[in-house]
C-alpha cells in the first residue's frame, strides 16, 4: 500500500513537472497569515517583541531553507530562551521608535523649526533605520532567533561594505507601513507574517552571486 501511494505521488510530481499549484500557494499564504497573528500575540506585552520577532524570523528561515516549518516544540523553545535576552532589545527598539515618531510629529506640525526639508531628511533616516532593523531580524532568524547584538554588528559591517544593501529591506518595511495604514486594523497582524517573509526573500536575493 505504501509503495503504491509513493508511486502515485511520484507520478503526480512527474506529471506536473514539480511545479507548485494554487493549493500550495494558498497553504503558504495561510501559514504566513497564522505566523503574523502568532507574532503579534507574542509581541503584545512589548517586552517580548524582540523574542517574538526573532522566533518568527527563525521559523521563516527554516521554511525558506527546508520547505517545512519547525515544530511547535522547537518554536516554543526558541521563544522561551530568547525572552530575557530580548528584553533590552525590545526596550531599545521601543525607545528609538518613540523618539523618532515624536520627532516626525513635531516636524510635521511645525512645533520645531526645519519645515519640509527637515521632515524629509528625518523620514529618510527613519526609513533607513527600518531597513537596517529588517536586515537584523533576518540575520537573527538565521541564528535560531537569538544573538541580537552579534547580528546587529554583522549587519552593520555588511551595510558599510555595501551601502545599497539595505535599499530593498527599506522598501519592504516602507510598503508594509503604508499597507498597515491603508488596511483594516484586523489585517495588520496578518501583514506582519508577510513582511517577515518578504524581508527574508529580498535578503536571500542579495546573497545570490
Amino acid at each position: 500500500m505504501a509503495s503504491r501511494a509513493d508511486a502515485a505521488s511520484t507520478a503526480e510530481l512527474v506529471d506536473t513537472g514539480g511545479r507548485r499549484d494554487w493549493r500550495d500557494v494558498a497553504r503558504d499564504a495561510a501559514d504566513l497569515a497564522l505566523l503574523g497573528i502568532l507574532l503579534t500575540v507574542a509581541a503584545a506585552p512589548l517586552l517580548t517583541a524582540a523574542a517574538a520577532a526573532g522566533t518568527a524570523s527563525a521559523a521563516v528561515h527554516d521554511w525558506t531553507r527546508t520547505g517545512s516549518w519547525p515544530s511547535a516544540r522547537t518554536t516554543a523553545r526558541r521563544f522561551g530562551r530568547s525572552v530575557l535576552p530580548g528584553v533590552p532589545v525590545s526596550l531599545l527598539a521601543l525607545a528609538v521608535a518613540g523618539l523618532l515618531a515624536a520627532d516626525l510629529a513635531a516636524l510635521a506640525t511645525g512645533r520645531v523649526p526645519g519645515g519640509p526639508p527637515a521632515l524629509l531628511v528625518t523620514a529618510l533616516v527613519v526609513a533607513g533605520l527600518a531597513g537596517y532593523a529588517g536586515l537584523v531580524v533576518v540575520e537573527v532568524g538565521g541564528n535560531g532567533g537569538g544573538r541580537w547584538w552579534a547580528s546587529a554588528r554583522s549587519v552593520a559591517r555588511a551595510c558599510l561594505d555595501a551601502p545599497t544593501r539595505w535599499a530593498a529591506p527599506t522598501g519592504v518595511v516602507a510598503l508594509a507601513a503604508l499597507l498597515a495604514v491603508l488596511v483594516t486594523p484586523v489585517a495588520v497582524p496578518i501583514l506582519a507574517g508577510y513582511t517577515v517573509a518578504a524581508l527574508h526573500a529580498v535578503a536571500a536575493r542579495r546573497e545570490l552571486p
Side-chain angles (χ1 to χ4, degrees):
M1 181 68 70
S3 60
R4 185 175 302 174
D6 293 340
S9 176
T10 302
E12 182 180 357
L13 182 62
V14 172
D15 291 340
T16 60
R19 294 189 299 271
R20 291 159 52 84
D21 60 18
W22 66 269
R23 290 167 295 186
D24 298 311
V25 176
R27 182 169 56 250
D28 291 343
D31 290 341
L32 290 174
L34 178 60
L35 175 74
I37 294 172
L38 294 175
L39 166 58
T40 304
V41 171
L46 297 184
L47 292 181
T48 58
T55 303
S57 181
V60 173
H61 178 271
D62 291 351
W63 175 61
T64 56
R65 294 303 191 277
T66 67
S68 60
W69 295 97
S71 65
R73 177 177 297 180
T74 298
T75 300
R77 184 175 67 250
R78 285 172 172 170
F79 179 76
R81 73 187 182 197
S82 60
V83 169
L84 289 180
V87 169
V89 180
S90 300
L91 290 174
L92 178 61
L94 291 171
V96 171
L99 289 174
L100 291 174
D103 192 17
L104 286 173
L107 288 169
T109 57
R111 293 198 300 268
V112 297
L119 179 61
L120 176 60
V121 171
T122 304
L124 291 175
V125 170
V126 171
L129 288 175
Y132 168 74
L135 284 176
V136 173
V137 169
V138 173
E139 184 75 12
V140 167
N143 292 330
R147 300 179 59 191
W148 282 93
W149 306 116
S151 298
R153 290 192 297 270
S154 175
V155 170
R157 288 193 297 268
C159 289
L160 289 175
D161 293 338
T164 60
R165 184 180 180 86
W166 65 67
T170 297
V172 169
V173 176
L175 178 60
L178 177 62
L179 292 176
V181 174
L182 297 178
V183 302
T184 178
V186 178
V188 172
I190 297 175
L191 182 62
Y194 290 109
T195 302
V196 175
L199 288 170
H200 275 266
V202 298
R205 288 182 64 86
R206 294 292 300 178
E207 294 173 0
L208 294 176

